[in-house]
Amino acid sequence: MDLGLKNRVALVAASSQGLGLATAEAFAAEGCRVAMCARNDQTLQAAAEAIRKQHKAEVLAEAFDVRDAAAVSRFVAAVANKFGSVDICVTNAGGPPAKGFLAATLEDWQRAIELNFLSTVYFAREVIPHMQRKHWGRIITITSITTKQPVADLVLSNAVRAAVVGLVKSLANEFGKDGILVNNVGPGFTATDRLKELARARSSATGKTEQEIFDAWAAEAPLRRLGEPRELAETVVWLASERASYVTGQTVLVDGGMYKGL
Ligand code: NAD
């Protein structure tokens, strides 16, 4: 299937490792020019270089914090300057800490709102004018299964990511006339460093081993295993492609069937 993505410019936020890195790689494999960012410059540049080598792709990589609106603005301008436009923008960031409601501090709430909601606002504000000019664009948010089904001890994610879905639906409604499609992708339990971090937190809270926790998560999904980052990335690439040209305002879960609703 030709996804029609060759030479498109794909910006993937928080892409030095995990789901963001897998997504940047998947766009490069489709012939896109790729823009990457994350906080740690060394890890980020190493990831960018590996993608350049493996896919012969043009890659722009800059280290900054996605909570910094001015840095996001500068980066989007630099991407448009180097590649001529920004066609696809995938928003992503680290996840908030695993905590119950009374354990979460006001600072935790503030940080989660900045990291997991406002960072998406910052990127959307900057990329939409570029997409409007070309009458073509894709904004895809990487959030979580928590946008459909709350997960125990992830109250920060359960609450804050719902705002992202409200934003996604609003942007899809407002900018569909400009050829901009906006969708949300919610991973279930996927084998990345973030999942190891969650397993450690749950292990110290329950006394179970990390392996027991991974096994229990895998058992929650009808597919009886954790997801691979590549599986999430390929769904994002499909949503960005010409093959998903009538899909907007949706949340697509990549969760092995873990979501229990209809
Ligand atoms: P990860 O921890 O492996 O990678 C996170 C990436 O974000 C890294 O590249 C890191 O450098 C970057 N990052 C973190 N904070 C940043 C900041 N302030 N500014 C710029 N870059 C920043 O996580 P992951 O598993 O790839 O998850 C990505 C997102 O998906 C997270 O929000 C996570 O909560 C969510 N998610 C993951 C899973 C899972 O099972 N892996 C499940 C549901 C939701």
Side-chain angles (χ1 to χ4, degrees):
M1 188 189 281
D2 177 11
L3 295 180
L5 286 172
K6 202 161 171 41
N7 287 327
R8 289 278 183 207
V9 179
L11 183 165
V12 184
S15 46
S16 65
Q17 63 178 55
L19 303 178
L21 174 58
T23 303
E25 281 176 335
F27 278 117
E30 288 303 317
C32 291
R33 291 169 287 165
V34 178
M36 303 167 67
C37 67
R39 281 169 310 177
N40 184 312
D41 192 47
Q42 213 178 340
T43 328
L44 177 67
Q45 297 304 337
E49 192 51 28
I51 292 180
R52 282 187 199 104
K53 281 208 175 110
Q54 193 180 345
H55 301 287
K56 312 241 173 305
E58 279 188 77
V59 182
L60 175 68
E62 265 181 40
F64 63 90
D65 191 318
V66 294
R67 292 172 298 172
D68 179 345
V72 171
S73 174
R74 279 195 299 274
F75 181 59
V76 171
V79 176
N81 192 36
K82 180 173 170 66
F83 293 137
S85 66
V86 185
D87 300 315
I88 299 158
C89 177
V90 179
T91 66
N92 181 39
K99 292 190 175 182
F101 180 67
L102 291 178
T105 64
L106 292 182
E107 288 73 29
D108 287 329
W109 282 104
Q110 193 72 42
R111 192 172 183 282
I113 289 166
E114 287 175 5
L115 184 64
N116 299 113
F117 174 65
L118 286 178
S119 65
T120 301
V121 173
Y122 301 154
F123 275 104
R125 282 173 61 90
E126 298 300 327
V127 298
I128 285 171
H130 293 285
M131 296 173 176
Q132 281 178 313
R133 275 194 285 281
K134 283 182 85 174
H135 202 81
W136 197 98
R138 304 282 194 265
I139 298 173
I140 298 162
T141 57
I142 296 181
T143 57
S144 172
I145 187 174
T146 60
T147 54
K148 289 278 191 187
Q149 178 169 287
V151 172
D153 290 341
L154 283 183
V155 67
L156 293 159
S157 178
N158 297 338
V160 172
R161 295 196 196 273
V164 179
V165 178
L167 179 70
V168 162
K169 198 72 183 166
S170 305
L171 296 180
N173 289 344
E174 189 171 346
F175 297 104
K177 65 176 180 2
D178 297 318
I180 303 172
L181 313 186
V182 189
N183 290 290
N184 172 47
V185 176
F189 294 116
T190 314
T192 66
D193 283 359
R194 161 72 174 168
L195 204 63
K196 288 183 198 149
E197 175 193 315
L198 290 181
R200 269 194 299 277
R202 196 160 289 185
S203 172
S204 47
T206 62
K208 291 186 179 155
T209 66
E210 288 177 30
Q211 191 55 51
E212 283 170 329
I213 287 157
F214 282 127
D215 291 347
W217 280 334
E220 275 186 55
L223 296 187
R224 298 286 186 272
R225 63 174 177 84
L226 302 178
E228 291 298 329
R230 176 189 54 77
E231 296 176 299
L232 182 288
E234 286 172 357
T235 304
V236 173
V237 167
W238 170 74
L239 273 173
S241 79
E242 295 295 355
R243 306 287 77 80
S245 51
Y246 204 51
V247 180
T248 194
Q250 303 303 307
T251 287
V252 179
L253 297 182
V254 184
D255 68 343
M258 192 182 123
Y259 171 56
K260 301 292 184 292
L262 295 177

